[in-house]
Structure formats: structure tokens, C-alpha cells
Amino acid sequence: MCFSYDDAFRGRSDWGKLAAEVPTLIAATGCKFERFQNSSHGIVQKSGYVCTVQGDSLVLNTTQLLAKDVRIGFVSSPRTNAVAEFACLAGCSCVSRNISAFAKANTLLKEVTFHTSTVAKADRRQQHCIVKLSMKSQGEWFKFVSMTVFSRLFESV
């Protein structure tokens, strides 16, 4: 399941029957939503949350019950040196990692995949994986544009 801020549902769970499975944004602290339309000169700009201050954060619910991979989509550009940290907060575990938005080429969309493991709980309804993206740098911009959650076909033994 995934969402992108270019889609009509803008990260909200309004896909009818699939609503329980769509990843959702729980909180945006300091990050501001920017909605862009494609320009008439063919320049594509991505809608999403822009974080610019150290400590700004986004908390997301993957809404998935089993071990999954989480792919974060963001804008990468030579115009920013922003670094954000991806971490698991509840219902799952993962290795926290920093993500750099810097790229040598012109503005690109990048994705980084994180492996998560479900934390066993007696009540399976509370096993959703809650993740957080936190701004680590100051005065730069990091733009979050999508999240994809998918099953791994083969588990390592």
C-alpha cells in the first residue's frame, strides 16, 4: 500500500474498502504542506511536506500488521544539504538511518527503503508500525513526497 501527495487522497485514508490499509500521516510538527500543480512549461513539481528546522518531524502509520519494507520518497537536489532521520517508534523495530536530500544532479525524486520487523503484541490490532521522519539539519529543506509499504517475498532465515 502506498500514498503520494500527488494523488487525490493526499495521504488520507479515503480509498473506500482499502481505507484501513492505506498509510496515514499521524502528525506533522513544524513541517508545512506544499501543493504544486504541473506548470505550463512542462516543469514537474511534487506536492509534499517540507521540513526546514532541526526537530521538524512527520509521524506516519504504515497501517500494516506484519513485517514489511517501508520506502520513503523525497526530493533530492543540489540546492539542499538537508538530512532527515528515519526511525521506528511503535509496533515495529528498525535500524534508524539518516537520509541526505543532496544530489549532484538537478532536482530528482529519490526513494530509500527501510526493513522493519513487527514487535509481537498480545492484541494484534495494535501491531501497526509507526515510523518517524525527523529533520536533523537546520536552515535547509527536506521534502517528503511519498511512502510505500510492501511485503518481502522471502524472509532471511
Side-chain angles (χ1 to χ4, degrees):
M1 292 291 122
C2 67
F3 73 74
S4 166
Y5 287 102
D6 288 341
D7 294 332
F9 60 96
R10 287 185 44 213
R12 293 176 310 212
S13 296
D14 41 25
W15 268 16
K17 285 192 230 176
L18 294 177
E21 299 176 8
V22 176
T24 56
L25 177 67
I26 296 172
T29 305
C31 302
K32 303 223 179 339
F33 182 74
E34 289 186 356
R35 180 128 181 100
F36 287 108
Q37 301 296 328
N38 293 341
S39 72
S40 58
H41 357 11
I43 297 171
V44 177
Q45 296 182 324
K46 299 295 280 182
S47 297
Y49 275 89
V50 177
C51 307
T52 57
V53 177
Q54 186 174 13
D56 284 358
S57 66
L58 298 169
V59 178
L60 303 129
N61 183 349
T62 67
T63 68
Q64 302 298 303
L65 297 177
L66 302 174
K68 304 287 180 181
D69 285 333
V70 176
R71 182 177 297 149
I72 299 295
F74 59 98
V75 174
S76 184
S77 169
R79 296 179 295 146
T80 184
N81 287 310
V83 175
E85 178 186 42
F86 176 89
C88 291
L89 293 183
C92 59
S93 62
C94 62
V95 176
S96 297
R97 267 184 27 206
N98 287 342
I99 307 167
S100 172
F102 176 77
K104 291 181 182 177
N106 290 329
T107 304
L108 304 168
L109 294 178
K110 278 181 128 177
E111 293 180 318
V112 176
T113 302
F114 300 90
H115 174 78
T116 67
S117 298
T118 304
V119 175
K121 291 186 180 177
D123 185 354
R124 291 192 54 79
R125 293 173 297 171
Q126 295 180 5
Q127 289 187 350
H128 291 173
C129 180
I130 309 298
V131 298
K132 184 175 185 179
L133 198 61
S134 303
M135 187 71 163
K136 302 308 267 183
S137 49
Q138 178 72 31
E140 300 285 341
W141 57 268
F142 189 96
K143 188 171 195 177
F144 166 75
V145 296
S146 67
M147 181 170 79
T148 307
V149 181
F150 54 97
S151 298
R152 289 181 298 280
L153 295 176
F154 303 100
E155 294 291 329
S156 52
V157 211

